[in-house]
């Protein structure tokens, strides 16, 4: 009887749950991409700011390239050495690293950079030599998992086109369309009463005795080998727990939020930013600013807005020397008047494209 119950549980609830997980995972990936690029202002949206550059710049590609890029050279269409509006590569001293200019050029990623020349896209090495130059004016794409560059050369390929590893500059035979997740050990269900429970799959049991108003995991998939942090809400109070049931903070706090790897705790109108390390919370910084999205830089916490302007909060409590009309969700790029700027891995910025 117990075996039949287990079989029914595994064959029914888990299968349905896995199907739902796959759908949620795809939706989550799409949502992350949208959030990454769109931080909405109260009156003027991010799309409005980005629209002035969208005829030339692919923001999805630029966002991913910046996160993979190094800081040894930078690329810009505005410099005292060039007045023709083309994009050139410069070294850290402001001298041209490559003499040739391009209609569009993205930062170097490892050994290659994506450029547009004579209306067609291609890859160059650090000497400015073309590794590949498409014969067709079709925009380059990036694979979703490895971030390979994919060129459509006009022919039909099972793998989608001519594929290059941007970091090494080597041609690839294919790419991964979507990595299937391993079945999680924990999952959240909604009860008929509109409450939420955390279920441990292996034992078919609820982790918490009390049903919660909401349960928010720090990571989407929860496994035994790496217990996941959870924000628990009950009766308008917040607490923090591990997915195995270990209590970290009692459910008595005013507000708790996740911000990437950080945990935000609101106390007396001050936001405290913690990291969970060695099985305890370690305070990183306290600030008046409430960040809305995490940045990719290791020396920064996240993006925040104030008075309809955007800035980045750093882990030392400092922020950028000036505010911006818009900053992308991961802190990769910003817009200031008619200029599109890039934030490098140290949170320094430079003008990438000026209209």
């Amino acid at each position: 009887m117990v075996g039949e119950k287990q079989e029914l549980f595994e064959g029914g609830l888990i299968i349905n749950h896995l199907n739902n997980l796959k759908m949620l995972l795809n939706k989550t990936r799409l949502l992350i991409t949208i959030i990454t690029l769109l931080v909405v202002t109260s009156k003027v949206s991010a799309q409005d700011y980005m629209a002035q550059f969208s005829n030339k710049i692919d923001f999805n590609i630029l966002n991913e390239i910046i996160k993979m890029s190094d800081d040894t050279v930078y690329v810009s269409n505005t410099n005292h050495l060039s007045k023709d509006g083309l994009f050139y590569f410069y070294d850290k001293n402001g001298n041209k690293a490559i003499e040739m200019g391009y209609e569009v050029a993205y930062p170097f990623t490892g050994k290659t950079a994506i450029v547009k020349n004579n209306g067609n896209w291609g890859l160059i090495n650090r000497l400015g030599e073309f590794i590949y130059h498409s014969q067709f004016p079709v925009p380059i794409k990036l694979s979703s998992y490895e971030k390979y560059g994919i060129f459509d050369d006009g022919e039909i390929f099972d793998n989608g086109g001519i594929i290059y590893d941007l970091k090494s500059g080597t041609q690839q035979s294919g790419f991964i369309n979507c990595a299937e997740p391993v079945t999680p050990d924990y999952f959240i269900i909604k009860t008929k009463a509109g409450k939420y429970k955390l279920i441990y799959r292996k034992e078919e049991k609820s982790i918490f005795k009390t049903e919660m108003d909401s349960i928010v995991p720090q990571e989407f998939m929860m496994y035994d080998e790496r217990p996941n942090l959870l924000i628990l809400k009950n009766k308008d109070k917040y607490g923090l727990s591990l997915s195995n049931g270990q209590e970290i903070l009692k459910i008595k706090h005013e507000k708790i939020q996740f911000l990437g790897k950080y945990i935000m705790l609101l106390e007396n109108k001050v936001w405290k930013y913690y990291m969970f390390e060695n099985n305890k919370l370690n305070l990183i910084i306290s600030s008046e600013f409430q960040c809305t999205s995490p940045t990719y830089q290791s020396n920064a916490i996240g993006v925040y807005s104030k008075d309809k302007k955007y800035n980045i909060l750093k882990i030392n409590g400092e922020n950028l020397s000036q505010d911006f009309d818009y900053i992308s969700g991961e802190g990769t790029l910003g817009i200031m008047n008619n200029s599109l700027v890039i934030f490098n891995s140290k949170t320094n910025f430079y003008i990438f494209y000026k209209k």
Side-chain angles (χ1 to χ4, degrees):
M1 188 69 179
V2 174
E4 292 177 356
K5 180 181 178 183
Q6 177 68 22
E7 183 179 355
L8 177 62
F9 183 83
E10 295 289 345
L13 181 58
I14 292 303
I15 290 175
N16 290 336
H17 178 65
L18 285 176
N19 290 333
N20 291 335
L21 273 178
K22 290 179 181 179
M23 293 175 62
L24 284 172
L25 189 59
N26 291 331
K27 291 180 180 178
T28 301
R29 286 174 176 151
L30 177 61
L31 183 60
I32 289 173
T33 301
I34 294 172
I35 292 174
T36 295
L37 298 174
L38 302 177
V39 179
V40 180
T41 62
S42 59
K43 290 188 178 180
V44 181
S45 69
Q47 296 99 314
D48 294 325
Y49 284 120
M50 296 163 68
Q52 59 182 314
F53 309 102
S54 59
N55 64 329
K56 185 177 288 285
I57 305 301
D58 186 318
F59 284 94
N60 289 287
I61 290 179
L62 179 59
N63 180 71
E64 295 299 331
I65 291 296
I66 292 172
K67 291 187 292 183
M68 298 187 291
S69 180
D70 57 55
D71 303 327
T72 56
V73 297
Y74 69 94
V75 59
S76 176
N77 81 326
T78 176
N79 186 285
H80 68 282
L81 298 178
S82 60
K83 304 293 183 181
D84 53 14
L86 295 176
F87 287 80
Y88 290 87
F89 291 93
Y90 301 93
D91 62 26
K92 61 183 180 180
N93 297 317
N95 301 314
K96 284 184 179 179
I98 297 173
E99 284 299 318
M100 184 174 179
Y102 304 93
E103 296 161 35
V104 182
Y106 295 123
F108 267 96
T109 300
K111 295 182 178 180
T112 74
I114 298 171
V115 299
K116 187 178 185 181
N117 187 54
N118 293 328
N120 297 337
W121 292 94
L123 276 185
I124 60 170
N125 61 22
R126 289 187 176 264
L127 298 176
E129 302 167 335
F130 274 95
I131 298 172
Y132 179 79
H133 196 189
S134 176
Q135 300 303 305
F136 300 88
V138 180
I140 185 174
K141 298 180 293 184
L142 296 181
S143 65
S144 59
Y145 188 69
E146 308 97 331
K147 308 303 177 186
Y148 288 163
I150 305 172
F151 298 89
D152 186 347
D153 72 346
E155 298 183 21
I156 298 176
F157 286 82
D158 292 337
N159 55 20
I162 303 296
I163 305 166
Y164 276 89
D165 182 334
L166 300 180
K167 292 184 178 180
S168 66
T170 56
Q171 189 170 352
Q172 304 295 310
S173 60
F175 58 89
I176 299 173
N177 281 303
C178 179
E180 287 293 331
V182 178
T183 304
D185 296 313
Y186 301 87
F187 58 92
I188 300 167
I189 64 170
K190 187 175 183 179
T191 68
K192 293 181 179 180
K195 299 285 188 176
Y196 292 87
K197 299 168 66 174
L198 179 67
I199 302 297
Y200 183 41
R201 180 178 62 86
K202 295 179 180 179
E203 298 180 6
E204 308 176 37
K205 71 175 185 178
S206 176
I207 296 297
F208 305 113
K209 294 180 180 179
T210 303
E211 295 181 357
M212 303 295 171
D213 294 335
S214 68
I215 301 176
V216 179
Q218 188 172 30
E219 296 180 14
F220 184 70
M221 310 294 279
M222 294 177 279
Y223 301 98
D224 278 335
E225 59 269 21
R226 57 173 194 272
N228 195 359
L229 279 175
L230 301 165
I231 295 174
L232 307 178
K233 181 184 179 183
N234 196 29
K235 298 179 180 179
D236 291 326
K237 295 296 181 181
Y238 294 81
L240 199 64
S241 173
L242 291 177
S243 53
N244 61 12
Q246 179 183 339
E247 183 180 78
I248 305 300
L249 292 175
K250 291 186 179 297
I251 304 177
K252 64 176 185 178
H253 296 276
E254 181 181 353
K255 184 69 175 178
I256 302 177
Q257 295 178 193
F258 287 130
L259 185 80
K261 62 183 179 181
Y262 297 103
I263 299 97
M264 300 169 58
L265 180 63
L266 180 63
E267 289 184 344
N268 300 319
K269 298 182 180 180
V270 174
W271 286 98
K272 295 185 176 182
Y273 293 84
Y274 294 88
M275 284 188 64
F276 188 72
E277 301 169 311
N278 300 319
N279 210 37
K280 65 178 182 179
L281 291 174
N282 297 310
L283 180 64
I284 305 300
I285 192 176
S286 297
S287 173
E288 64 177 294
F289 301 118
Q290 178 185 7
C291 293
T292 55
S293 56
T295 58
Y296 82 100
Q297 297 93 342
S298 60
N299 69 337
I301 298 285
V303 178
Y304 71 87
S305 63
K306 183 179 180 180
D307 300 328
K308 302 177 184 178
K309 293 292 184 178
Y310 290 81
N311 209 309
I312 292 177
L313 177 65
K314 301 180 182 180
I315 58 176
N316 61 4
E318 297 179 354
N319 49 24
L320 303 178
S321 59
Q322 63 187 85
D323 294 327
F324 291 80
D325 298 322
Y326 165 75
I327 296 179
S328 65
E330 290 180 285
T332 53
L333 53 92
I335 296 174
M336 179 175 53
N337 299 322
N338 64 339
S339 296
L340 178 63
V341 306
I342 283 178
F343 298 102
N344 67 14
S345 64
K346 298 178 177 62
T347 328
N348 300 319
F349 61 90
Y350 64 89
I351 295 177
F352 167 65
Y353 176 37
K354 187 173 183 177
K355 295 199 70 175

